[in-house]
Amino acid sequence: MRAIRGEILHFLGDPVEHGAAALEHFADGVLVVRDGYVAELGDSDALLAKLSAETPIEDFRGKLILPGFVDTHVHYAQSDIIASYGEQLLTWLEKYTYPAERHFANPAHAAAVAEFFCDELLRNGTTSASAFATVHPASVDALFAAALKRRMRLIVGKVLMDRNCPDFVRDSAAGGYAESRALIEKWHGRERLLYAVTPRFAATSTPEQMRLAGRLLAEYPGVYLQSHVAENRGEVAWIAELYPEARSYLDVYERFGQLGPRSVFAHCIWLDDTDRARMAASGAAMSFCPTSNLFLGSGLFDLDRAQALGVRVGIGTDVGAGTSFSMLRTLSEAYKVLQLNGQRLSAERAFYLATLGGARSLYLDDCIGSFAPGREADFVVLDPAATPLLARRSAACATLAERLFVLMMLGDDRAVAETWVLGEPAWRRG
């Protein structure tokens, strides 16, 4: 058992729905961790008096402790093409993504990138993520192995892609199905690891491969589905040509049994309210990926309509079209996207989306995303004085909401002092 002392904040619900009652804040709090799980949370005066003299106490007074960030959409195999210049989605895939992903047939390369990727997540305070690998089974093995070593909670899947892509990153419908089955049997449910059936997007899978992807979901209840939908106008038009029988892009996935709880779709920009209502009714989730949507010129996410229709929403960095592993940077861009869309994003809502909201979108809020008793003790320690500008601006803040907003607008990886996984330090700033 150990105790963590500092300013502590976590969420009990969505601030849009519950207002101030959605968050629990302790200006001087203590988080008690036993065997990697949250045992108790409260004011320091009350809890310190209950602890035995032998209980080790980590003192983070002057810093802010939050549940570990949850990244609901990211491509580990694109770590080396982040900040590649000048293309929109479909050209980006041809010019940068597919050539980079071909190297993941090499297990040594996959392992090296996986190690870097997991360390970069932790350096930015992210303790859980839903990540795409490549078509190569070795790429999945490498990322799961790296996450297992760090005891992180990761959802990973082998990309399924049997048409409209270069031969060197193409599988087959039958082969992709068989390889996915083997990976599910090997990794799904192993410690904190979970598997996602992963058709890249409907354009790069034949109807037969899409049918088999749906079959995997039926055969293995509890696995996830991750893909992309309605990111780019040209992509949407292409899907309509490939699947003329479908009402919409989203309808393609539904026709193949891929729309339901634990289905996570990145982007969701060019949807109509019928699609959004179907997502809400099915229990599927959207991953809002602001930095990549801006970088690729894809469009502006409509958070208000998703909220109004009851769709689950999390935040995705979407590296490498996304431009930062930092959830703070990503929340900053989310605020700007919504400003352009005539919408508002409070700091409280932003940090909810990055923690409990992300966990809820992944159906993992009984495990992560808050400091409720019994949750896995993943957390990030943020330093509001990490840079001279951040320190100066934070010192002038009068409220918690203002301090959170300053952190999300001016913060980045430098604001992460420590990241803890299952009650143990996993990364510390030197």
Side-chain angles (χ1 to χ4, degrees):
M1 189 169 73
R2 66 199 311 170
I4 293 87
R5 183 178 185 181
E7 183 178 10
I8 301 175
L9 171 68
H10 76 135
F11 294 87
L12 309 175
D14 187 338
V16 170
E17 298 173 8
H18 303 289
L23 59 86
E24 191 170 31
H25 173 239
F26 300 93
D28 182 8
V30 169
L31 180 70
V32 180
V33 175
R34 181 179 291 111
D35 298 326
Y37 293 82
V38 175
E40 202 168 356
L41 171 66
D43 285 312
S44 61
D45 287 347
L47 286 188
L48 290 175
K50 294 167 57 176
L51 297 176
S52 72
E54 291 74 34
T55 303
I57 299 174
E58 299 281 341
D59 195 338
F60 292 117
R61 279 177 288 180
K63 296 182 174 63
L64 177 65
I65 300 166
L66 286 158
F69 295 134
V70 181
D71 189 340
T72 60
H73 180 74
V74 62
H75 295 258
Y76 104 90
Q78 296 180 27
S79 298
D80 291 337
I81 59 169
I82 193 170
S84 295
Y85 176 75
E87 306 298 344
Q88 293 207 347
L89 173 64
L90 298 178
T91 308
W92 164 274
L93 292 171
E94 296 289 343
K95 185 173 180 179
Y96 298 119
T97 302
Y98 299 148
E101 291 189 357
R102 76 182 301 173
H103 299 296
F104 285 77
N106 178 349
H109 177 78
V113 177
E115 293 286 320
F116 171 84
F117 174 81
C118 287
D119 286 344
E120 195 69 8
L121 290 181
L122 293 171
R123 195 171 68 83
N124 284 278
T126 298
T127 53
S128 298
S130 183
F132 278 54
T134 70
V135 297
H136 313 100
S139 71
V140 180
D141 288 333
L143 185 52
F144 273 137
L148 186 67
K149 183 164 65 175
R150 293 162 178 80
R151 304 192 306 161
M152 299 172 73
R153 183 171 279 287
L154 253 63
I155 302 167
V156 182
K158 171 197 134 52
V159 169
L160 299 171
M161 192 161 56
D162 69 340
R163 67 168 170 174
N164 294 325
C165 61
D167 289 344
F168 55 75
V169 286
R170 185 179 301 173
D171 61 7
S172 66
Y177 169 78
E179 289 171 343
S180 297
R181 283 197 63 167
L183 290 164
I184 292 168
E185 298 280 356
K186 181 176 182 180
W187 291 109
H188 183 67
R190 184 172 171 185
E191 295 195 17
R192 304 179 78 196
L193 306 176
L194 299 163
Y195 193 86
V197 178
T198 308
R200 181 183 289 279
F201 68 130
T204 50
S205 287
T206 60
E208 176 63 8
Q209 185 165 73
M210 293 290 279
R211 184 186 70 79
L212 290 172
R215 180 175 165 184
L216 285 168
L217 295 174
E219 290 175 337
Y220 293 96
V223 302
Y224 287 74
L225 181 286
Q226 60 180 354
S227 194
H228 304 82
V229 70
E231 178 178 1
N232 168 284
R233 286 179 175 177
E235 168 211 18
V236 173
W238 190 21
I239 298 299
E241 294 174 3
L242 293 171
Y243 293 94
E245 71 282 0
R247 190 201 74 83
S248 67
Y249 192 162
L250 184 75
D251 186 49
V252 175
Y253 294 101
E254 185 162 21
R255 284 167 177 259
F256 289 106
Q258 297 176 26
L259 191 65
R262 292 178 302 281
S263 296
V264 183
F265 293 95
H267 309 301
C268 302
I269 297 171
W270 304 105
L271 300 178
D272 60 20
D273 276 358
T274 299
D275 288 330
R276 295 185 182 100
R278 286 301 308 135
M279 291 191 75
S282 69
M286 299 176 173
S287 181
F288 175 17
C289 303
T291 74
S292 67
N293 295 159
L294 293 173
F295 183 73
L296 295 179
S298 299
L300 306 176
F301 183 78
D302 194 335
L303 182 60
D304 281 1
R305 292 309 296 159
Q307 172 73 27
L309 292 168
V311 188
R312 295 169 184 253
V313 178
I315 298 287
T317 61
D318 196 23
V319 168
T323 53
S324 179
F325 281 88
S326 170
M327 191 60 72
L328 298 176
R329 289 279 302 275
T330 304
L331 294 179
S332 171
E333 297 305 294
Y335 174 84
K336 297 168 193 174
V337 163
L338 295 171
Q339 281 279 71
L340 287 169
N341 226 0
Q343 301 176 22
R344 299 178 68 85
L345 179 65
S346 71
E348 296 94 329
R349 181 95 196 282
F351 280 97
Y352 161 79
L353 289 172
T355 56
L356 182 61
R360 284 180 168 176
S361 74
L362 300 176
Y363 291 81
L364 290 173
D365 48 305
D366 59 342
C367 300
I368 58 172
S370 77
F371 293 137
R375 300 304 184 269
E376 296 160 356
D378 295 346
F379 61 88
V380 57
V381 182
L382 298 178
D383 182 1
T387 68
L389 177 60
L390 191 55
R392 185 176 182 87
R393 184 64 182 86
S394 297
C397 293
T399 65
L400 173 65
E402 190 178 2
R403 288 190 292 118
L404 289 174
F405 187 68
V406 167
L407 258 175
M408 96 184 201
M409 298 309 295
L410 301 180
D412 54 28
D413 58 292
R414 294 170 294 177
V416 177
E418 300 197 11
T419 304
W420 287 50
V421 172
L422 287 180
E424 299 288 342
W427 184 86
R428 280 179 167 153
R429 179 162 296 284

